[in-house]
Amino acid sequence: MTEFDEMSKRSSRKRVKMPKAGKHAKKIGVIVAGAAVIGVLATDCTYQIQEQEQAVLTTFGVPKAVPETGLHFKIPFIQKVDKVNTTIQGFPIGYLETTNDTVEHEGIMITSDYNFIDVDFFVEYRIDDPVKYLYTSQEPESILKNISQSCIRTVIASYSVDDVLTTGKSEIQSKIKEMIMKKIEEQDIGIQLVNITIQDSEPPTQDVMRAFKAVETAKQGKETALNNANKYRNEKLPEAEAKADQIIQDAEAEKQVRINEAEAEVARFNAMYEEYIKNPAVTKQRMFYETMEDVLPEMKIIVDNGSGIQKVLPIESFVDTSGSNENMDAAGSEETESSSES
């Protein structure tokens, strides 16, 4: 046998062994492919729902919410699962949350008194209906943001700049929230508004800001003055009330004294009138003398009735002091005689 024949025999032997190795490789490939398919199918048959999460299972285009957490099964290639986050989420309006820079087309607004103001808001929301959230609209967050901006501008336009900067923030937030919730309910996009808050409100430029700060300083000065005035009033009011009470009490006492005096005068007048009824002439004369004594308390008077006409004469300067008493006695005796004659 030649060397060529031996080489051909060896090559023929090798050709016989080659087909056995190819079959073995094909079997391994089939096994690997089958294992991969089984792994994919096994993986696609289950899905996990975490806490604060819900899933939407779609079968032939029909969605169904799956709110239960844990491990769930589905049919591969037929059913599709979409997961949504049900925790509270949010977005800013009027500024960038990362850099805190102002977004002018969102934050600059006009008030009812035609003043410009820069107001920043933060909107908080959560997904309450995953099916509507996924299939009612393509961008439900954008819809919520547009609705929020519209409601914010509507409400801010109905308030003055002072209210937006100072005392009206709580009322403004409440009205905006109520308006957004109403419009979200009309849109029915599966989103629930949790809260909306005013983060900051200030004038749009430095000059206007300084002017508003001056106004705020003046308002604070006014409040201080009012507080001081109220404090002074609270200090002085009890004292004035006490004085008023004292004056009233004194007036009541004086009134009672006057009433008693008047009642005494009435009683004396009634008693005098009773005597007058009994003796009118004597009573008249007595009243005349008493009146003259009251009117002329320091003047000495002599009543001369000698000629039949009564006269009142100031004669003290014409007589001596020693003789005045005698003249008075003489006048008195004459008066007594004339009265007895009458």
Side-chain angles (χ1 to χ4, degrees), residues 91 93 121-125 140-141 143-155 172-189 191-197:
F91 55 84
I93 295 178
F121 288 86
F122 191 80
V123 180
E124 295 177 290
Y125 69 94
E141 283 86 358
I143 295 175
L144 175 59
K145 188 171 185 178
N146 292 333
I147 290 175
S148 300
Q149 289 179 333
S150 174
C151 295
I152 287 171
R153 291 186 181 277
T154 300
V155 175
I172 290 171
Q173 290 178 171
S174 178
K175 285 191 175 182
I176 292 173
K177 182 178 180 180
E178 183 180 353
M179 189 177 297
I180 293 174
M181 291 176 65
K182 184 177 180 181
K183 291 191 175 183
I184 286 286
E185 186 178 353
E186 294 174 356
Q187 295 293 328
D188 197 18
I189 57 177
I191 290 180
Q192 178 186 10
L193 179 68
V194 176
N195 196 17
I196 181 168
T197 55

Side-chain angles (χ1 to χ4, degrees), residues 26-193:
K26 288 181 179 179
K27 288 181 180 180
I28 293 174
V30 171
I31 292 171
V32 171
V37 171
I38 292 172
V40 171
L41 292 176
T43 304
D44 199 41
C45 285
T46 61
Y47 59 96
Q48 184 79 19
I49 300 179
Q50 304 294 333
E51 292 289 339
Q52 303 296 329
E53 190 178 55
Q54 288 190 22
V56 176
L57 182 64
T58 305
T59 306
F60 296 112
V62 179
K64 177 184 177 182
V66 183
E68 297 83 4
T69 59
L71 184 64
H72 296 268
F73 295 92
K74 70 182 183 68
I75 302 173
F77 307 111
I78 296 177
Q79 292 180 320
K80 183 181 71 170
V81 176
D82 295 304
K83 298 179 183 179
V84 295
N85 183 8
T86 57
T87 59
I88 296 176
Q89 306 174 65
F91 55 84
I93 295 178
Y95 68 102
L96 297 177
E97 193 172 9
T98 54
T99 61
N100 204 30
D101 293 335
T102 300
V103 181
E104 292 187 358
H105 70 276
E106 293 182 357
I108 304 299
M109 306 176 194
I110 189 168
T111 60
S112 62
D113 51 357
Y114 302 104
N115 284 296
F116 287 97
I117 190 169
D118 183 9
V119 189
D120 298 335
F121 288 86
F122 191 80
V123 180
E124 295 177 290
Y125 69 94
R126 58 181 293 271
I127 300 170
D128 63 343
D129 192 330
V131 176
K132 293 180 180 179
Y133 173 79
L134 292 174
Y135 293 100
T136 301
S137 63
Q138 292 183 350
E139 297 180 352
E141 283 86 358
S142 298
I143 295 175
L144 175 59
K145 188 171 185 178
N146 292 333
I147 290 175
S148 300
Q149 289 179 333
S150 174
C151 295
I152 287 171
R153 291 186 181 277
T154 300
V155 175
I156 293 294
S158 63
Y159 283 84
S160 66
V161 66
D162 291 337
D163 293 333
V164 180
L165 288 173
T166 56
T167 58
K169 291 183 178 179
S170 298
E171 184 177 349
I172 290 171
Q173 290 178 171
S174 178
K175 285 191 175 182
I176 292 173
K177 182 178 180 180
E178 183 180 353
M179 189 177 297
I180 293 174
M181 291 176 65
K182 184 177 180 181
K183 291 191 175 183
I184 286 286
E185 186 178 353
E186 294 174 356
Q187 295 293 328
D188 197 18
I189 57 177
I191 290 180
Q192 178 186 10
L193 179 68

Side-chain angles (χ1 to χ4, degrees), residues 281-282 285 305 310 334-342:
V282 175
Q285 191 173 11
N305 198 23
Q310 295 183 355
E334 290 178 0
E335 178 183 353
T336 304
E337 290 176 359
S338 62
S339 61
S340 61
E341 289 175 358
S342 62

